[in-house]
Amino acid sequence: MNQLLTLLAVAGTAYATSLSSACTTSRIRESLPDDGYLLGVTFDRDSVTANAVYNSSHSGEVFFPDATINFCNVTFSYTHTGSGQNVIVGYYMPAPDDFKSRFLATGGGAYAIQSGSMSAPGGVMYGAVSGFTDGGFGSMDNDFDDVFLLSNGTINWPSVYMFGYQAIKEMTIIGKQFTKNFYDVSNSSKIYTYYQGCSEGGREGWSQAQRAGTEYDGLIIGAPAIRYGQQQANHLYSNIVEQTLGYYPPPCELEKIVNETIAACDPLDGRKDGVVSRSDLCQLHFNMTSIIGKHYYCAASTSSSLGLGFGKRASDTEPAQNGTVSAEAVAVAQKIVDGLYDSQGRRAYISYQMGAAFDDAATSYDSATGEWGLDIAGAGGEWVARFLELKDEDNLSSLEGVTYDTLVGWMKQGMTRYMDSLQTTIPDLTEFYENGGKIIHFHGEQDESIPTGSSVHYYNSVRQTMYSGQSYNASTKALQDWYRLFLVPGAAHCALNDAQPNGPFPQTNFEVMSLWVEKGIVPETLNATILQGEYEGNNEQLCAWPLRPYWTNNGKNFTCQYDQASIDTFDYDFDAYKLPLY
Ligand SMILES: *[C@@H]1O[C@H](CO)[C@@H](O)[C@H](O)[C@H]1NC(C)=O
Ligand SMILES: *[C@@H]1O[C@H](CO)[C@@H](O)[C@H](O)[C@H]1NC(C)=O
Ligand SMILES: *[C@@H]1O[C@H](CO)[C@@H](O)[C@H](O)[C@H]1NC(C)=O
Ligand SMILES: *[C@@H]1O[C@H](CO)[C@@H](O)[C@H](O)[C@H]1NC(C)=O
Ligand SMILES: *[C@@H]1O[C@H](CO)[C@@H](O)[C@H](O)[C@H]1NC(C)=O
Ligand SMILES: *[C@@H]1O[C@H](CO)[C@@H](O)[C@H](O)[C@H]1NC(C)=O
Ligand SMILES: *[C@@H]1O[C@H](CO)[C@@H](O)[C@H](O)[C@H]1NC(C)=O
Ligand SMILES: *[C@@H]1O[C@H](CO)[C@@H](O)[C@H](O)[C@H]1NC(C)=O
Ligand SMILES: *[C@@H]1O[C@H](CO)[C@@H](O)[C@H](O)[C@H]1NC(C)=O
Ligand SMILES: *[C@@H]1O[C@H](CO)[C@@H](O)[C@H](O)[C@H]1NC(C)=O
Ligand SMILES: *[C@@H]1O[C@H](CO)[C@@H](O)[C@H](O)[C@H]1NC(C)=O
Ligand SMILES: [Ca+2]
């Protein structure tokens, strides 16, 4: 900032530092990089929009603390030479006096590549320019799945690569130079560059680590939708279990199984707080067959499933459900938790941790027959119909004839077709590491949409690839210098978990990351806060994987312990594939 003031004084330029005088279309236009700054990119200088936004208040968010911010809201577009693709980018620019030489790239969720107004404030409040992109999908209101097919059977490949990794990378490269120009800082001065996103936004974060390693100093990656070919099809696994076992549990019965699992496994972590902080101990020590025969009751309701993004269903009316938990329901629950194996008993994928909600297994009620039946999970249905079968449809109409082997086939097909675009599991992060980059990767331990173990498995893939030949402890220690994974006790998919309200959430990740990158303060544990319930506001620390949280002294003393048996429950041999599954 001093540099800027000096420059202003010396040059006597007309650039005042107040937000209102800086936030003009003419200054934005002058601040755009030159055409060709990024090879093949031409800016549409007439497309620039800019408006100053004051006293924009944000509260109740899980990815950043409450704040009231001012910023210049900028959008402009550019084209890729030789293609008709028009890409719109958006940047929230802090007032010049508030700018702290930081840039934050943000991403989206489900098939959205951006969640601009929801994510961007999380950078502005820390003096960062926050950027987002429409991916070239036509407008900020369009998602990837809206443009993925040019027609039935024909893939719009440029949109796949834009969604896969290219659009965010371009938005960051353009945004950094634009930021320097806008604040009039020299080309040689450092702009600390970050990325933050969860779910699809988490996948986008990994896409940058894997393919834009020199652009970023710090990546904050939540519950990433990586291993895309497996992850998307996996949303159908619960339905296929129900169909194969011939039992469609009423939602209340599954909810009872979840509640009983939480009640039984809560104390295994040494602290009775309604939070299953050790789903691994739950898996090792709790047998769901003990729930058989327990009574459940749910009043008639109009329900809509919780959670962000994938798997969301339209609201439904449900009749009152009154019964006892059946052996069939527990068998369905256990098979879901076990994860997908092919008919030869080889593991093809993994599932949610015990205690997580069974969203993908939701059934629907047929009031004519009075029976519960198949309700195809939308995220999986759309994936197969649109992205594998290439039909302009939002869902599959049936699962007739679909077996575990069919699902494995879909996983292989998706992985192969999108290996170099959406799969996002390249485990060699050398470029990022050598550039000095840092990664905070977190995942709700009770995620009901993207298996927690998916993150653990990728962490291990990176560890083994980057430090091959080193022992488990040596490679873990080396990796933790720059890449740390934290499982969030009780947390759902990129969200709080109403069934475990006393669980913490790492809300201050940007602060923690900027301290790591800019001041070298290593997050030995990850700062988190209980954001609802009776302990709201309490601070908690999260253990860095592979250490696991454990409380002694009647729940009073917190430790991060090394527990081999627990670590082993997160170790998977995906022997249904001949290639390694990273
Ligand atoms: C923003 O809020 C501050 C403090 O409440 C107030 O003084 C100021 O006038 C507000 N600015 C605008 C543009 O509303
Ligand atoms: C930012 O600008 C865009 C484009 O003009 C507009 O659609 C959006 O509503 C603006 N956002 C805010 C917060 O002013
Ligand atoms: C694409 O296929 C769907 C059925 O899968 C059909 O409803 C739709 O009309 C087709 N669209 C075109 C443009 O042919
Ligand atoms: C800064 O870098 C950009 C892009 O390389 C270049 O166009 C511009 O002239 C440079 N500015 C200065 C002051 O050197
Ligand atoms: C499960 O527990 C929640 C409280 O977390 C409660 O509201 C709900 O009624 C319980 N469901 C069943 C089926 O017992
Ligand atoms: C749970 O107990 C049942 C009945 O004793 C047994 O058949 C089953 O294998 C056990 N399941 C697990 C996961 O240990
Ligand atoms: C649930 O069913 C049991 C046994 O049929 C019955 O005793 C009880 O009254 C029912 N509860 C409600 C709330 O309908
Ligand atoms: C997808 O279609 C199936 C079969 O018609 C239906 O059961 C399911 O509710 C649909 N899912 C969504 C999200 O529309
Ligand atoms: C690895 O480190 C943990 C925690 O420090 C320790 O308990 C364990 O014995 C070590 N394992 C080996 C093989 O050295
Ligand atoms: C840690 O979280 C607490 C709230 O739980 C917050 O007050 C504090 O500023 C955070 N520390 C850092 C370094 O982000
Ligand atoms: C618990 O922590 C307190 C404070 O650090 C310490 O004095 C006490 O010895 C610990 N108790 C146990 C049982 O570890
Ligand atoms: Ca607990």
Side-chain angles (χ1 to χ4, degrees), residues 302-522:
T302 302
S303 80
S304 57
S305 80
L306 298 168
L308 282 180
F310 291 122
K312 213 160 181 171
R313 266 159 238 261
S315 64
D316 254 331
T317 40
E318 288 176 358
Q321 297 152 60
N322 183 11
T324 52
V325 174
S326 61
E328 289 84 351
V330 166
V332 163
Q334 184 65 53
K335 186 76 179 154
I336 292 173
V337 162
D338 290 345
L340 175 64
Y341 290 81
D342 68 12
S343 57
Q344 294 181 56
R346 298 176 299 199
R347 182 184 278 284
Y349 213 51
I350 53 175
S351 194
Y352 314 111
Q353 294 297 111
M354 285 175 73
F358 288 101
D359 281 22
D360 285 342
T363 50
S364 68
Y365 185 68
D366 183 337
S367 53
T369 62
E371 310 237 308
W372 293 90
L374 184 69
D375 183 359
I376 299 174
E382 177 171 14
W383 172 251
V384 174
R386 187 182 301 279
F387 293 88
L388 298 185
E389 296 181 348
L390 306 183
K391 295 180 191 153
D392 186 12
E393 288 168 3
D394 295 337
N395 194 3
L396 281 176
S397 53
S398 107
L399 287 181
E400 217 180 299
V402 171
T403 64
Y404 297 134
D405 284 342
T406 315
L407 185 57
V408 176
W410 281 336
M411 289 185 177
K412 288 179 175 171
Q413 186 185 15
M415 168 174 70
T416 306
R417 183 177 296 164
Y418 302 107
M419 184 66 97
D420 71 339
S421 53
L422 306 175
Q423 187 73 1
T424 328
T425 46
I426 300 171
D428 178 357
L429 305 178
T430 302
E431 188 182 54
F432 179 83
Y433 162 70
E434 287 183 347
N435 192 49
K438 305 284 185 280
I439 298 170
I440 289 174
H441 176 178
F442 67 96
H443 203 132
E445 191 156 331
Q446 302 276 265
D447 191 313
E448 75 293 0
S449 181
I450 298 181
T452 310
S454 162
S455 281
V456 175
H457 186 68
Y458 180 69
Y459 183 87
N460 278 326
S461 296
V462 173
R463 180 179 57 75
Q464 285 161 334
T465 302
M466 297 294 291
Y467 303 102
S468 65
Q470 294 194 24
S471 72
Y472 183 85
N473 280 358
S475 57
T476 299
K477 189 165 177 298
L479 188 56
Q480 287 187 338
D481 281 347
W482 58 279
Y483 166 19
R484 302 177 78 89
L485 169 66
F486 302 91
L487 304 188
V488 188
H493 183 56
C494 299
L496 308 183
N497 183 352
D498 288 341
Q500 301 182 38
N502 296 330
F505 206 86
Q507 192 193 35
T508 60
N509 283 339
F510 191 99
E511 177 88 37
V512 171
M513 179 55 96
S514 64
L515 288 171
W516 193 7
V517 165
E518 297 171 25
K519 301 246 181 336
I521 300 173
V522 179

